[in-house]
Amino acid sequence: MKVTVDEDKCIGAGQCAFTAPQVFDQRDEDGVVILLAEIPPAADEPAARDAATLCPAGVIKILDDDVENR
C-alpha cells in the first residue's frame, strides 16, 4: 500500500489527521495535509483507507499493487 496526497487541492478539513494521526498531520499555518507515512505499516492501513474515504476534497489516494483505489 502506498499513500499519496495532493496538497494543492487540500482544504484543511482535518479528517485525515483525526482519523489516522500516525499517517497524516496538518501544517500549523493553513491546515494543509502533511503525509507522515507514504508507506504506512500494515497496522495503520485501515485508518489510512478510512481517511481517504472521509476526505471531503478527495486529495488522498491509496495505491495497491499499481492500481489506484481512490
Side-chain angles (χ1 to χ4, degrees), residues 22-64:
Q22 61 281 25
V23 181
F24 306 99
D25 199 355
Q26 291 180 278
R27 293 192 306 224
D28 290 334
E29 62 272 12
D30 57 10
V32 169
V33 65
I34 298 169
L35 181 60
L36 300 175
E38 185 177 284
I39 301 173
D44 296 331
E45 288 182 9
R49 290 180 192 283
D50 288 346
T53 300
L54 293 171
C55 178
V59 304
I60 301 170
K61 306 294 180 196
I62 304 293
L63 306 168
D64 286 311

